[in-house]
Amino acid sequence: MALLAPGSTIGILGGGQLGRMLGVAAAQLGYQIQIYAPDRESVAAQVAAHHVQAAWDDEPRLAAFAAACDAVTIEFENVPVDTVRFLSGHVAVRPGAQALEIAQDRLTEKRFVTDLGGRPAPFAAVPGRAALDAAIAAIGAPAILKTLRMGYDGKGQARLATDADADAAWDAIDRHAAILEGFVTFAHEFSVLLVRGIDGETRFWDSSVNVHAHGILATSMLPPPQIILDQQDEARGLMARIADDLDYVGVLTGEFFATDDGPIFNEMAPRVHNSGHWTIEGAVTSQFENHIRAVAGLPLGSTATTALPVTMRNLIGADIGDVPALLADDRAHVHHYGKTEVRSGRKLGHATWIGADPA
């Protein structure tokens, strides 16, 4: 495949902050960006040449979008698979529909990873309420009930302390088809971020230790504790097998639990990832630039960490009010996503410290 020449257009499906940061990286490499998203307001569109606001199933608009692009990528995993399949008949879409289809269904994802030798938490399918009782009997409690599809940052999930919580948990997820996962006793959560080129070359960034608050990533930090360093290679091996099996192109993220028995797979995201935002300043080549490089067929850049320690802190909800104080900190790199509505649980920006601890 010929490299995308400077001035070529890369289409991005989705209009959020990940698309925004991809757009900035693409512009630095000389590419035009077009955004396709149903939302009228798009923070990604603020840095793009064009914004197509249309439904995911509007085939005439999708065909016109494809005709205007030299390649297409995604910025979030809930783009309908049928949309990607339709576009793939008109333009190269990287990553492809298969990775999206697997990541969108938690049961399919767990089975896929297990077949490749990965170890997820114990799980059982819950297609209906009666199946929940059987799943609890098989998995035990405490456990967590998750909708099969959609849901992120803690949404679409309910915890069961005992089997007496079954009805409440079922109602909490609006009685959707689900998966029950057994609780995992773990020391830390960590991410494995890789980028894979069209030629199959694969590179990894250093793994961060991730701390969540209310189901939302709060901070990612390097260096991680020793237990993560000890388990990083095994987790990387699994993610490499996943990427190879899918003939994946771009950045792929896996989230893991570090346990006394080794790394336990939690979930994967076929896209750039919040836990990799530190790479903008903290790696020789950021996750966003390397994703664009991969999509465009360019050589991949070095993923080496530039300095330690690293702390990336999400600015969630009212935290965005901290921006003036953060800008007064000479060591802080501040990113505001351009969102106008401030609400609880919404990611509005992030700040990163490289080679120094936060004040």
Side-chain angles (χ1 to χ4, degrees):
M1 171 244 170
L3 305 182
L4 291 191
S8 298
T9 297
I10 297 175
I12 298 176
L13 302 177
Q17 67 263 21
L18 299 180
R20 180 187 183 94
M21 289 181 272
L22 284 170
V24 171
Q28 290 175 334
L29 294 175
Y31 296 114
Q32 301 280 327
I33 287 294
Q34 289 207 29
I35 300 297
Y36 190 105
D39 311 292
R40 183 175 62 85
E41 293 187 8
S42 162
V43 296
Q46 295 170 5
V47 301
H50 298 286
H51 174 210
V52 180
Q53 183 200 348
W56 292 122
D57 59 356
D58 188 335
E59 293 190 353
R61 299 291 296 278
L62 286 168
F65 175 72
C69 297
D70 298 289
V72 171
T73 191
I74 63 173
E75 69 106 34
F76 82 124
E77 64 266 48
N78 289 325
V79 175
V81 173
D82 286 345
T83 298
V84 174
R85 288 205 176 103
F86 177 84
L87 285 171
S88 296
H90 297 76
V91 66
V93 182
R94 305 182 178 115
Q98 187 183 9
L100 206 61
E101 188 170 33
I102 290 170
Q104 284 181 359
D105 186 293
R106 288 187 169 96
L107 184 59
T108 300
E109 180 185 69
K110 294 287 194 295
R111 289 171 173 167
F112 172 72
V113 167
T114 300
D115 288 345
L116 289 176
R119 293 183 298 152
F123 66 92
V126 183
R129 174 63 187 86
L132 178 55
D133 292 328
I136 295 171
I139 300 297
I144 185 164
L145 186 65
K146 300 180 180 180
T147 55
L148 283 187
R149 306 182 69 82
M150 305 296 284
Y152 56 93
D153 289 344
K155 301 178 180 70
Q157 302 182 12
R159 294 175 181 266
L160 295 87
T162 70
D163 55 5
D165 296 327
D167 286 332
W170 184 243
D171 290 340
I173 65 164
D174 294 327
R175 306 179 182 185
H176 291 298
I179 183 172
L180 187 72
E181 296 181 10
F183 264 35
V184 174
T185 300
F186 62 92
H188 301 283
E189 298 178 65
F190 69 100
S191 295
V192 171
L193 273 75
L194 67 78
V195 60
R196 187 176 186 274
I198 291 173
D199 61 358
E201 181 187 1
T202 301
R203 297 187 179 194
F204 295 89
W205 285 271
D206 290 333
S207 287
S208 61
V209 58
N210 301 326
V211 178
H212 292 77
H214 309 294
I216 303 174
L217 180 66
T219 59
S220 293
M221 293 171 286
L222 293 165
Q226 187 63 43
I227 188 173
I228 292 175
L229 295 174
D230 292 342
Q231 297 182 15
Q232 184 174 254
D233 285 349
E234 183 179 341
R236 284 179 172 182
L238 172 62
M239 294 308 299
R241 293 195 297 276
I242 290 172
D244 289 343
D245 191 83
L246 297 172
D247 196 18
Y248 193 91
V249 175
V251 171
L252 176 67
T253 307
E255 295 183 71
F256 291 84
F257 300 117
T259 78
D260 290 342
D261 297 321
I264 299 297
F265 173 88
N266 183 25
E267 61 185 18
M268 73 179 198
R271 54 168 172 81
V272 290
H273 196 261
N274 191 179
S275 65
H277 289 357
W278 66 269
T279 64
I280 298 173
E281 292 87 18
V284 174
T285 311
S286 77
Q287 63 167 343
F288 299 101
E289 180 179 334
N290 255 340
H291 185 83
I292 295 297
R293 286 187 185 217
V295 169
L298 295 170
L300 301 179
S302 169
T303 53
T305 301
T306 56
L308 293 172
V310 173
T311 299
M312 188 286 298
R313 172 194 162 200
N314 272 332
L315 302 178
I316 302 168
D319 290 348
I320 199 67
D322 296 342
V323 164
L326 291 168
L327 289 172
D329 181 350
D330 290 340
R331 302 166 304 168
H333 302 270
V334 181
H335 296 258
H336 193 300
Y337 300 153
K339 299 177 181 179
T340 56
E341 182 185 355
V342 177
R343 63 174 184 266
S344 177
R346 192 181 197 200
K347 295 173 182 173
L348 300 175
H350 73 270
T352 308
W353 291 261
I354 307 297
D357 290 319

